[in-house]
Amino acid sequence: GMMGGWGGRGTGMMDGMGPGMMWGLGPGGGALADLDLSKEQRDKIADIQNEVWRQHRALMRSMHQHQWHMADAWRDDGSFDEQAARKAFDAMTAQRKAMFDLMLDARRRIDAVLTPAQREQLKRRGGGR
């Protein structure tokens, strides 16, 4: 997955997930759950996750709209509008890149909340790749 041992789920890593669930601070644990985070760290990480979740959902809605535009490239008369399909595909690709960039930024921001010892602990477990 794109996020390594941080609980990432590949290219669709947050689909269907709620706030606070991205990297395992919620029920069931995860990569960050056993790092002995302070309340301040948990709160900061939860804020980052909630922000990312809202942004990700907006990007997903936009991507779905582009998918509908791509479907519109096939017309009722059986013809195909290649230019419209390419335009929709390019827009979807830009949305996927924006989601990827969002995940990289979130990882960087969460990493900054952790202590050096916590980052080392993640690295030893294979979660800090």
Side-chain angles (χ1 to χ4, degrees), residues 43-62:
D43 289 347
K44 285 180 180 180
I45 291 169
D47 287 346
I48 293 166
Q49 290 175 329
N50 289 333
E51 178 187 334
V52 168
W53 181 77
R54 283 188 301 273
Q55 291 176 5
H56 185 270
R57 298 307 294 167
L59 289 167
M60 285 299 295
R61 280 191 299 276
S62 179

Side-chain angles (χ1 to χ4, degrees), residues 35 51 74 79 113 115 125 129:
L35 289 182
E51 178 187 334
W74 282 270
S79 65
V113 171
T115 66
R125 287 194 319 228
R129 293 181 202 154

Side-chain angles (χ1 to χ4, degrees), residues 93-126:
T93 300
Q95 295 302 107
R96 289 187 71 81
K97 183 183 182 308
M99 285 188 279
F100 177 75
D101 290 340
L102 182 64
M103 292 296 102
L104 291 179
D105 181 62
R107 168 113 188 214
R108 179 190 52 76
R109 291 171 56 198
I110 289 175
D111 196 52
V113 171
L114 301 177
T115 66
Q118 289 166 330
R119 285 191 293 273
E120 182 60 31
Q121 186 178 352
L122 271 178
K123 185 178 178 182
R124 282 193 312 268
R125 287 194 319 228

